[in-house]
Amino acid sequence: MQKEVVVVVGAGLIGQAIARRIGVNKQILLASLSLQDAEQAAIQFRNAGFIASAASVDVSSRESVQALVEQAQQLGPITGVIHAAGVSPSQAPVATILRVDLYGTALVLELFGNVIAHGGSAVVIASQSGHRLPALPAEQDRALAMTPVEELLQLDFLQPDKVVDTLHAYQLSKRGNSLRVMAEAVRWGQRGARVNTISPGIIITPLANDELNGPRGAGYRRMIEASPVGRAGTPDEVGHVAALLMGPDGTFISGSDILMDGGVTSAFRFGDIQQPVIQS
């Protein structure tokens, strides 16, 4: 009898932390843009007693994501999807951020939502940044949530003359992630499955270290220092929340977003952290 399959799209530290909590006695398929990175993660999981294999995926490519879906289906019924792939404002230009973080997430939700097993669940890693974008017009919210995936990047308010700053692109993408998940929860529910987002603050990973040492690093460090908790988070802390959302104690939660940022967003709105200026 085939075991249940958990797919990790973006097998970095956060994706791995979640998989360790929900992947016991399941087939874990770890996928990254770099097959070598995915294979190294799979070796670590197998050495720790898990059943794990590796795959390469480019979330900005429909053909690549569809191939990952088919590879996962060959292993068994897909009952878990962890989507943690993405690029940060310091890592990529505007077009790449929108293509990977916004379009790529919508694509993963569409294609895995077509095959997710009854009782299955997914978590998408969004960001605190989505919560700090000012309110969008209702029609833009709906467009981010409902526009067919292949038309998403054609939206007028996402064009190069409207989004010229990488942080703005990132915030729009992460706001779009949570809106998209809310809409997809309806479709996933028709298959008896659930999907939610987690919006972490600064979680210490290689990507976060790139940000802390990048052009916005000083601002990020001030943000951590001025937050109510006064520190960055860890991948394991995100893993605990994801385990709740994806496990038996979270079966009444779908289409929701959990903000876990050490109170940074609270400090932006009601404390001493200054909102960054976005060029648009």
Side-chain angles (χ1 to χ4, degrees):
M1 182 176 178
Q2 291 181 310
K3 293 185 180 294
E4 297 178 9
V5 177
V6 172
V7 183
V8 184
V9 184
L13 295 185
I14 291 177
Q16 291 181 39
I18 299 170
R20 283 195 298 270
R21 283 159 179 79
I22 69 164
V24 175
N25 200 33
K26 298 177 182 179
Q27 289 265 6
I28 302 173
L29 179 58
L30 297 136
S32 286
L33 183 60
S34 164
L35 180 58
Q36 182 179 3
D37 289 348
E39 288 175 337
Q40 289 177 347
I43 290 170
Q44 292 177 351
F45 270 73
R46 289 195 295 269
N47 286 341
F50 292 88
I51 307 166
S53 55
S56 175
V57 66
D58 176 359
V59 297
S60 69
S61 162
R62 176 172 288 272
E63 293 75 16
S64 182
V65 177
Q66 183 60 45
L68 178 65
V69 170
E70 293 170 4
Q71 182 175 346
Q73 285 183 295
Q74 292 174 2
L75 296 174
I78 302 171
T79 60
V81 179
I82 301 160
H83 180 54
V87 292
S88 77
S90 295
Q91 290 182 314
V94 166
T96 301
I97 291 170
L98 292 174
R99 183 81 185 174
V100 172
D101 292 356
L102 181 65
Y103 170 85
T105 298
L107 186 59
V108 167
L109 288 166
E110 176 195 321
L111 296 182
F112 279 98
N114 291 340
V115 300
I116 190 73
H118 183 88
S121 60
V123 160
V124 171
I125 302 301
S127 171
Q128 62 178 353
S129 283
H131 287 260
R132 291 203 297 280
L133 184 71
L136 298 174
E139 61 269 20
Q140 291 187 5
D141 278 349
R142 185 168 182 84
L144 288 170
M146 300 292 291
T147 299
V149 176
E150 295 307 320
E151 300 173 19
L152 192 54
L153 296 180
Q154 301 169 21
L155 291 170
D156 177 70
F157 63 94
L158 298 180
Q159 297 315 298
D161 62 325
K162 305 290 178 60
V163 185
V164 299
D165 179 88
T166 58
L167 179 59
H168 189 200
Y170 188 73
Q171 290 183 341
L172 279 167
S173 297
K174 296 306 182 177
R175 174 71 60 82
N177 292 166
S178 59
L179 290 167
R180 198 84 188 182
V181 161
M182 186 176 290
E184 282 282 344
V186 178
R187 187 172 72 97
W188 283 51
Q190 295 169 354
R191 297 182 62 87
R194 301 179 298 106
V195 58
N196 294 284
T197 51
I198 297 174
S199 290
I202 296 177
I203 306 298
I204 298 302
T205 65
L207 185 149
N209 284 324
D210 283 346
E211 287 294 309
L212 289 168
N213 293 297
R216 295 188 176 88
Y220 284 117
R221 289 189 291 273
R222 287 195 300 271
M223 186 168 66
I224 292 170
E225 292 165 1
S227 70
V229 172
R231 64 171 177 86
T234 68
D236 283 342
E237 288 175 305
V238 181
H240 292 314
V241 174
L244 166 66
L245 292 175
M246 298 185 73
D249 292 333
T251 54
F252 197 55
I253 309 172
S254 194
S256 295
D257 176 73
I258 305 298
L259 174 64
M260 54 174 307
D261 66 351
V264 166
T265 300
S266 299
F268 266 109
R269 293 183 179 177
F270 307 112
D272 297 328
I273 302 178
Q274 184 178 1
Q275 181 75 16
V277 176
I278 295 175
Q279 300 176 12
S280 60

